[in-house]
Amino acid sequence: MSASYSHGAEPVKAKAQEPQQKKISVKYPFWFGGSASSMAACVRLQMRTGNAPKNMAGTFVHILRTAGPTGLYNGISASLLRQMTYSTARFGIYEDIKARIVTKTGKEPSFPLLIAMAAGSGFVGGIAGNFADVLNVRMQHDAALPPAERRNYKHAVDGMVRMAREEGPRSWFRGWLPNSTRAAFMTAGQLASYDVAKRLLLKYTPLEDNLTTHFSASFLAGLVAATVCSPIDVIKTRVMSSSHSQGVMHIMGDLYKADGLGWMFKGWVPSFLRLGPQTICTFVFLEMHRNAYRKVQGIEDRKL
């Protein structure tokens, strides 16, 4: 399946004393975003829960002691499944809408419009990948739980079957609203910020469309996304790691009573250390996908 992507969704810059060149529209495969996100999924840190220490270093040591080095990658099958559903949908829809607007208007969408497009795409992606996200959270948390409380899912498929059998099929959609809301904020923070950062770097700095620019723009996107999503991440983790249903407002009330307004950015540092590298790798891999596709298709690689 293919989506009509514009070449980086950037109009081609005209060279000095040359007529402005027409923008190249490249049809990239729809799954590129999911593929790049899956490749980046291995760059991750486990999250804290249960009786694990309350700091990042302590959690790291705790997981190594209780589950060994492989414990740091518990839930990798669920993580990959999540990226193949959630990220494929959000990247594919966003890039397709953006390419259609560029083709129709001949210019780049404004930043507010990019945010709206990304948020809508992220919300749909969040619904598509909710079941995998529930599994991902549970399997990552398992190593930090006391042995008697661990679910011990063998892999993502085993987890899906056991969840349906033990808790009913509705458990696949547990926390879908906060999860999809978080996906909307995450996608707006990542995709829209990346596009704008890349556009500004190319326009106002000597940087070319290369790895340095991709790294810089994706670093900024990761910083924005981690900050915007921090409050939602706290709520989402509470909802999805629970074995029984709790209202979002009830959870927010409990968090405020325990930590005050500080709950909104609780765990921001480990969240950024997990999300930042993953965001960078995702966009770097995505640009590599695009470059390879253009070379294979024999499409001229012009400066953006």
Side-chain angles (χ1 to χ4, degrees):
M1 183 176 183
S2 297
S4 178
Y5 291 24
S6 65
H7 182 106
E10 295 285 349
V12 177
K13 293 180 180 178
K15 295 182 180 180
Q17 299 179 347
E18 289 184 8
Q20 185 173 359
Q21 297 173 332
K22 292 183 179 181
K23 177 179 58 63
I24 301 175
S25 181
V26 183
K27 295 185 67 175
Y28 294 111
F30 190 88
W31 51 267
F32 268 14
S35 175
S37 297
S38 296
M39 293 172 67
C42 293
V43 183
R44 55 199 283 274
L45 290 176
Q46 287 286 25
M47 295 174 286
R48 177 194 171 273
T49 190
N51 62 348
K54 295 185 178 182
N55 58 76
M56 184 178 64
T59 301
F60 188 83
V61 174
H62 175 78
I63 293 174
L64 287 176
R65 287 178 176 175
T66 56
T70 57
L72 295 172
Y73 285 89
N74 282 344
I76 189 64
S77 63
S79 181
L80 291 174
L81 179 61
R82 175 176 179 267
Q83 298 304 334
M84 288 186 287
T85 52
Y86 157 67
S87 287
T88 297
R90 68 185 184 123
F91 271 91
I93 295 172
Y94 171 80
E95 294 290 351
D96 185 71
I97 296 175
K98 183 173 63 176
R100 290 173 185 272
I101 291 176
V102 171
T103 300
K104 183 177 181 179
T105 65
K107 60 182 180 179
E108 279 302 308
S110 63
F111 185 49
L113 183 55
L114 286 175
I115 292 176
M117 289 159 44
S121 301
F123 192 86
V124 174
I127 295 175
N130 190 79
F131 71 99
D133 209 11
V134 175
L135 286 168
N136 188 38
V137 171
R138 289 187 174 190
M139 292 177 73
Q140 286 189 36
H141 275 73
D142 228 29
L145 291 172
E149 299 179 17
R150 295 177 186 173
R151 297 181 174 91
N152 294 316
Y153 297 147
K154 297 177 182 178
H155 44 72
V157 176
D158 177 62
M160 288 179 61
V161 172
R162 286 182 52 188
M163 282 177 62
R165 183 173 63 243
E166 298 168 8
E167 304 172 47
R170 293 183 63 183
S171 62
W172 291 352
F173 299 97
R174 177 168 290 131
W176 74 269
L177 182 57
N179 181 46
S180 297
T181 302
R182 187 258 188 188
F185 278 86
M186 171 67 72
T187 305
Q190 284 182 322
L191 275 63
S193 295
Y194 177 79
D195 279 343
V196 171
K198 180 181 175 183
R199 185 189 307 175
L200 295 176
L201 288 171
L202 292 173
K203 185 176 181 180
Y204 295 107
T205 72
L207 294 175
E208 302 291 339
D209 184 27
N210 53 29
L211 181 60
T212 302
T213 301
H214 303 159
F215 180 91
S216 301
S218 58
F219 175 83
L220 294 173
L223 188 65
V224 172
T227 303
V228 169
C229 292
S230 182
I232 300 174
D233 275 342
V234 175
I235 297 173
K236 187 196 77 166
T237 300
R238 284 291 188 95
V239 171
M240 291 190 170
S241 62
S242 176
S243 296
H244 52 87
S245 299
Q246 284 185 309
V248 173
M249 297 305 297
H250 178 74
I251 291 175
M252 291 176 63
D254 290 344
L255 289 169
Y256 180 77
K257 290 177 183 178
D259 302 301
L261 291 177
W263 73 265
M264 298 177 68
F265 298 100
K266 190 174 183 180
W268 184 92
V269 173
S271 177
F272 174 72
L273 291 178
R274 173 178 58 86
L275 182 61
Q278 188 174 31
T279 301
I280 292 171
C281 290
T282 296
F283 284 108
V284 169
F285 287 139
L286 180 60
E287 295 288 1
M288 289 181 177
H289 279 56
R290 291 172 173 173
N291 290 337
Y293 183 81
R294 290 196 299 272
K295 289 180 179 179
V296 170
Q297 296 296 321
I299 300 171
E300 183 181 359
D301 191 10
R302 296 175 181 173
K303 295 180 182 179
L304 301 181

